[in-house]
Amino acid sequence: MAGGPAAVSFLTNIAKAAAGLGAAASLLSASLYTVDGGERAVIFDRFRGVLPETVTEGTHFLVPWLQKPYIFDIRTRPHNFSSNSGTKDLQMVNLTLRLLSRPDVDHLPTIFTSLGLEYDDKVLPSIGNEVLKAVVAQFNADQLLTDRPHVSALVRDALIRRAREFNIILDDVAITHLSYGIEFSQAVEKKQVAQQEAERSKFLVAKAEQERRAAIVRAEGESESARLISEATAMAGTGLIELRRIEAAKEIAAELSRSPNVAYIPAGDNGKMLLGLNAAGFGR
């Protein structure tokens, strides 16, 4: 009977110790927080507000209930947004901008106080549209293509400057897509077709001129050749012509002799295979 109260007291003490350990473990867990790699933390204190120090990576202590950590991702993140802007010559263009941004770690408490955790979604689209419209309005529609590197540089410099006002660092700014309205695209296409037709007409005119000059040169060459042959014939007689006729007849006869469709070469006065050559001609 005496052992019953002792056992109850022992179990009660164990339960109290377990409860104490559980409370201590819960208090310790609530007093610790972890900042992972590529992150930073900002501490909000119920009495002092947002603390000015930025907490680095690792496990840290805080006062439960009194303090609360807010984790920032400080790694570079991409953002894409489109803007419909008007050019200097009142044409509408659609541009897509790609940004790589990250927060300025030294100013995270200021960012949290003024913008919150979603600082980039609140700032970047608005300043991106503002800068794009301001830069595009300085150029004509065709200049956006011919001077694209210059346009990109202006957009990049202006955006980096504007983002720094909100303690945001831009690692890269690029125009990834540019398209015009339907009316302007059709006008550009018609202009290109007209230019191609004009170039084709120029080519045809130049070709006709070259052919005319070639015909003149060819006619002059034939005339000169005929004159030289006439002069040579007048001076030396027709012997050279007769020799050329004999050579031509021999070549034709040789070609016909190799043809399987020819059984014999006709001869005699009625045959014309020797191009009018006769015995009298050979005798001379």
Side-chain angles (χ1 to χ4, degrees):
M1 297 295 293
V8 172
S9 176
F10 177 73
L11 292 176
T12 301
N13 292 334
I14 291 178
K16 290 180 180 180
L21 289 175
S26 298
L27 181 63
L28 180 63
S29 176
S31 302
L32 297 175
Y33 67 97
T34 301
V35 180
D36 294 330
E39 296 179 343
R40 294 292 186 273
V42 172
I43 303 300
F44 173 74
D45 189 280
R46 292 183 182 274
F47 294 137
R48 293 179 292 170
V50 178
L51 301 183
E53 297 85 9
T54 299
V55 182
T56 59
E57 302 167 356
T59 300
H60 306 273
F61 288 95
L62 54 75
V63 180
W65 183 83
L66 185 63
Q67 295 178 335
K68 181 179 180 181
Y70 290 91
I71 306 298
F72 277 84
D73 186 354
I74 63 169
R75 290 167 289 197
T76 299
R77 295 191 294 177
H79 302 272
N80 293 279
F81 59 89
S82 300
S83 175
N84 192 18
S85 306
T87 62
K88 188 177 181 180
D89 53 354
L90 304 180
Q91 298 292 335
M92 299 304 296
V93 294
N94 297 313
L95 297 102
T96 300
L97 200 64
R98 182 177 183 272
L99 309 177
L100 295 179
S101 68
R102 55 186 173 87
D104 188 347
V105 176
D106 295 333
H107 295 85
L108 283 180
T110 303
I111 294 175
F112 179 74
T113 302
S114 59
L115 299 173
L117 293 175
E118 303 299 329
Y119 61 93
D120 46 1
D121 292 334
K122 296 178 180 178
V123 173
L124 295 180
S126 59
I127 66 173
N129 278 286
E130 173 193 350
V131 169
L132 277 178
K133 291 181 183 299
V135 173
V136 169
Q138 303 175 23
F139 297 88
N140 292 329
D142 56 342
Q143 291 177 318
L144 294 179
L145 290 176
T146 57
D147 296 340
R148 184 164 180 170
H150 180 51
V151 175
S152 297
L154 291 177
V155 171
R156 179 170 55 254
D157 294 342
L159 268 178
I160 290 175
R161 185 170 58 253
R162 289 285 287 126
R164 288 298 302 177
E165 297 176 5
F166 298 93
N167 300 308
I168 299 175
I169 300 173
L170 298 182
D171 293 326
D172 185 60
V173 179
I175 298 175
T176 58
H177 178 70
L178 188 151
S179 62
Y180 295 97
I182 298 177
E183 296 81 2
F184 184 79
S185 299
Q186 292 176 347
V188 171
E189 183 178 356
K190 291 179 180 178
K191 181 179 178 181
Q192 291 177 343
V193 171
Q195 290 177 344
Q196 291 175 357
E197 290 294 332
E199 292 296 328
R200 183 172 180 273
S201 299
K202 291 181 181 179
F203 170 75
L204 292 177
V205 171
K207 181 180 178 182
E209 178 65 20
Q210 291 296 329
E211 290 178 350
R212 184 185 66 83
R213 293 180 179 177
I216 293 174
V217 172
R218 187 164 51 249
E220 291 177 350
E222 292 175 353
S223 175
E224 181 66 17
S225 177
R227 185 184 65 81
L228 293 175
I229 292 174
S230 298
E231 292 179 356
T233 302
M235 294 176 60
T238 60
L240 180 61
I241 297 177
E242 293 296 336
L243 178 61
R244 293 289 184 264
R245 291 173 65 185
I246 293 171
E247 291 176 350
K250 289 174 63 178
E251 292 178 0
I252 293 174
E255 289 293 332
L256 291 176
S257 66
R258 288 193 294 267
S259 175
N261 296 324
V262 177
Y264 66 94
I265 299 176
D269 294 337
N270 294 328
K272 302 300 182 180
M273 298 306 298
L274 297 181
L275 302 180
L277 292 176
N278 51 33
F282 285 108
R284 291 196 299 266

